[in-house]
Amino acid sequence: MDLSSLDIIDAKAFFLGQDEWVFLFEVVVRCFISFVIVLFALRLTGKKGVRQLTVFELVIILTLGSAAGDMGFYKDVGVLPAVLTIICIILFYKLVTWLLIKSDKFERLIEGQPVTIIRHGRYTEEVVKNENISFDEFFMELRLAGIEHLGQIKYAILEVNGDVSVFKRAPEEITPGLHILPDKMKKFYTDYYPADGLYACVCCGYTEHKKQGPVAVCKDCEGVKWSEGCDAKWQ
């Protein structure tokens, strides 16, 4: 193959596209301006960390980031229109925040409501019927709170910002419950109980002692997916 016939990569076009080298200085200035504006906008929200953000506030931050990013490296995006966009977003945020304080219905529409996931060691009816809830992250939060199985929980509430509030039972009130430890959660039984013992319905958290043999339908939710139950007390 004749190497001389190959097109040589244009380094300037590769790194800068259609712009000139001086545009790199402009990018630095643009990024500094966008950084200062977004930092000021986040200060206005009064939030200390991402964990405190609701869905609405997360949308605001993503929108701010998009406007600031476009201003930072798109040459055809003027600084003033981008700054005006960010200012409008801040004003919209302030308006919506004011409406959230004034109207409970508007607050529920925008931010949602806390959801009680577990009540007295069992999934609530709303959770059992909702097939879109993923429990992996929820169980992680429970384990971080020192929970080994659902029987140790009086109430577990999923807050609107994604945090989980856990109200534990007193040691003498603990009942058997569904295991949430990773090594136990991987073992599911849908056809056959391997041995006599305590089993928990994965769909609702109902626990019952079962004999070795074919899997039975859950008496509470009619589910047929079981896991090992646990009756351990607090250590």
Side-chain angles (χ1 to χ4, degrees):
M1 180 181 296
D2 186 5
L3 296 179
S4 62
S5 64
L6 296 178
D7 292 334
I8 300 176
I9 296 177
D10 186 343
K12 178 177 176 295
F14 181 79
F15 288 105
L16 290 175
Q18 301 300 318
D19 299 315
E20 299 297 329
W21 289 101
V22 70
F23 181 63
L24 294 179
F25 174 76
E26 185 177 336
V27 168
V28 174
V29 176
R30 284 169 171 263
C31 288
F32 176 76
I33 295 173
S34 63
F35 172 79
V36 172
I37 294 174
V38 172
L39 182 62
F40 175 73
L42 294 180
R43 289 286 295 171
L44 288 179
T45 66
K47 296 297 177 179
K48 303 280 185 196
V50 176
R51 294 286 301 229
Q52 297 175 320
L53 297 178
T54 62
V55 174
F56 161 66
E57 290 164 337
L58 183 59
V59 170
I60 292 295
I61 288 180
L62 291 176
T63 308
L64 286 174
S66 177
D70 290 347
M71 177 178 64
F73 59 83
Y74 285 127
K75 189 174 184 178
D76 56 343
V77 176
V79 172
L80 289 181
V83 171
L84 180 60
T85 300
I86 294 174
I87 292 175
C88 289
I89 293 171
I90 297 172
L91 294 177
F92 293 153
Y93 170 79
K94 289 296 185 181
L95 174 62
V96 172
T97 302
W98 181 79
L99 291 174
L100 290 174
I101 296 174
K102 295 296 182 179
S103 173
D104 292 337
K105 291 183 179 180
F106 187 74
E107 181 180 12
R108 290 194 295 270
L109 176 65
I110 297 298
E111 296 193 338
Q113 291 180 294
V115 178
T116 300
I117 300 291
I118 296 174
R119 182 182 293 113
H120 301 302
R122 302 274 296 280
Y123 296 140
T124 58
E125 184 177 356
E126 295 82 3
V127 175
V128 173
K129 293 180 179 179
N130 191 336
E131 297 179 354
N132 296 320
I133 293 181
S134 174
F135 286 93
D136 291 340
E137 186 173 352
F138 178 67
F139 285 155
M140 179 189 70
E141 296 284 350
L142 294 181
R143 291 193 292 268
L144 290 174
I147 301 297
E148 181 180 355
H149 65 88
L150 300 189
Q152 297 170 322
I153 301 173
K154 187 175 183 179
Y155 294 106
I157 302 171
L158 183 61
E159 306 292 355
V160 294
N161 65 349
D163 284 345
V164 177
S165 300
V166 181
F167 298 86
K168 301 176 182 179
R169 283 175 161 174
E172 64 274 8
E173 297 176 342
I174 293 177
T175 60
L178 174 68
H179 253 302
I180 63 171
L181 299 182
D183 57 335
K184 300 292 184 180
M185 291 171 57
K186 295 178 182 178
K187 300 177 182 178
F188 297 129
Y189 308 104
T190 57
D191 298 315
Y192 194 82
Y193 300 118
D196 296 354
L198 180 67
Y199 293 87
C201 175
V202 175
C203 301
C204 69
Y206 171 78
T207 56
E208 187 177 4
H209 283 86
K210 299 290 186 180
K211 296 287 187 180
Q212 181 180 8
V215 163
V217 175
C218 176
K219 297 178 181 179
D220 190 65
C221 71
E222 298 184 352
V224 291
K225 190 175 183 179
W226 297 81
S227 182
E228 294 182 24
C230 179
D231 58 0
K233 303 294 184 179
W234 296 112
Q235 299 298 322

